[in-house]
Amino acid sequence: MDATTRQATILNLLNTQDRVEVEDLASRFEVSLQTVRADLRDLSDRGALSRVHGGAVRTSSAANRVYADRRKQNAQGKQAMAALVAELIPDNCSLALNIGTSTEQVARALSEHRGLTVLSNNINIINMMMGVKTKNLILAGGTVRQSDGAIVGEDAVEFISRYKVDFAIIGASAMDTDGAIMDHDAREVSVARAILKNARTKVLVCDSNKFERSAPVRICAVEDLDVVVTDQSIPEDFAKAARLAGTRILTVAQNESREND
């Protein structure tokens, strides 16, 4: 069975079920796991499906609803974190933001800033910042993930690598108490790493419930960051790792406490 036939079969399977597994497909097609992964990568690059750990799922309006629901989760906390991040960003500087509902809130919080150059792989951020007082908006090129408007893949990584910005502002899906910052999609992680690598100051904005979640792909460690902005107090092991690395931890709760003193 050639690649075209295999890939058509995979899409037909996803029309009748929510998910396909790499091992099951390899057995069905009598090919190697590497061959199946290459098929899924090709289909993902074309926007025909979304890869997940161990397989793939349908790209559909349901995925868009999931992302919309994520925007509503802890919305007040995200807005407060975004306000803290905005205080770190001066006028007339450059910054890069990755995909995520928290980084979208940061973009909103920057609406009154002047003279910004903003680079992002998040279509939503570029759309919401059009018409505000920014100096320049730059949308990374690459494959669009239709579920959330992320631009991912090696083309996006190469595009971002052309720039050197003053601030990187990233979100993540999970944090570990040992200091690891993680996400689910390896392509998305590659873009986040490129954003961090090509920035002078590196900021993570992530609510504290991400310590209760897990994800398989490491973005970076807390020691690779300059600032972590979160909403509530964090585990002591993570705080200790941050102190040893010289990484600042800013929390909404602490900021509100200082304002009330």
Side-chain angles (χ1 to χ4, degrees), residues 37-235:
R37 292 191 184 104
D39 287 335
L40 296 182
R41 183 171 59 250
D42 289 345
L43 290 167
S44 177
D45 287 345
R46 286 156 40 193
L49 53 73
S50 296
R51 295 177 68 191
V52 296
H53 182 67
V57 296
R58 283 181 289 181
T59 297
S60 66
S61 58
N64 288 299
R65 288 196 298 272
V66 168
Y67 191 71
D69 289 341
R70 281 173 51 197
R71 287 194 178 104
K72 301 174 185 177
Q73 295 171 3
N74 192 24
Q76 188 173 0
K78 290 174 182 176
Q79 290 170 5
M81 289 189 297
L84 273 182
V85 175
E87 292 178 5
L88 302 174
I89 308 300
D91 289 339
N92 303 307
C93 72
S94 58
L95 62 150
L97 302 98
N98 75 335
I99 187 67
T101 57
S102 294
T103 52
E104 288 179 16
Q105 286 295 340
V106 172
R108 293 185 188 279
L110 293 169
S111 61
E112 296 302 316
H113 280 55
R114 296 178 178 272
L116 298 182
T117 295
V118 179
L119 167 66
S120 184
N121 72 316
N122 185 338
I123 290 175
N124 308 304
I125 284 177
I126 298 300
N127 284 337
M128 72 177 60
M129 297 192 83
M130 290 181 65
V132 298
K133 301 180 180 69
T134 48
K135 179 181 179 182
N136 196 19
L137 297 175
I138 304 168
L139 180 63
T143 300
V144 178
R145 190 169 61 192
Q146 296 184 36
S147 62
D148 56 8
I151 297 176
V152 295
E154 291 307 311
D155 287 342
V157 171
E158 192 277 332
F159 186 98
I160 290 166
S161 298
R162 303 174 195 169
Y163 294 85
K164 185 75 172 185
V165 297
D166 296 314
F167 294 89
I169 302 170
I170 69 163
S173 294
M175 296 187 287
D176 197 285
T177 54
D178 69 0
I181 313 300
M182 299 162 292
D183 224 312
H184 294 284
D185 189 330
R187 298 174 306 154
E188 182 179 334
V189 167
S190 294
V191 174
R193 288 175 181 165
I195 288 174
L196 292 172
K197 180 179 179 181
N198 294 285
R200 298 177 180 87
T201 301
K202 303 166 179 63
V203 180
L204 171 72
V205 54
C206 209
D207 46 14
S208 57
N209 66 14
K210 300 298 174 63
F211 286 108
E212 301 170 5
R213 302 178 184 179
S214 61
V217 190
R218 181 191 294 265
I219 300 173
C220 65
V222 67
E223 64 194 46
D224 301 314
L225 301 165
D226 296 295
V227 184
V228 174
V229 177
T230 188
D231 55 343
Q232 300 290 335
S233 59
I234 59 175

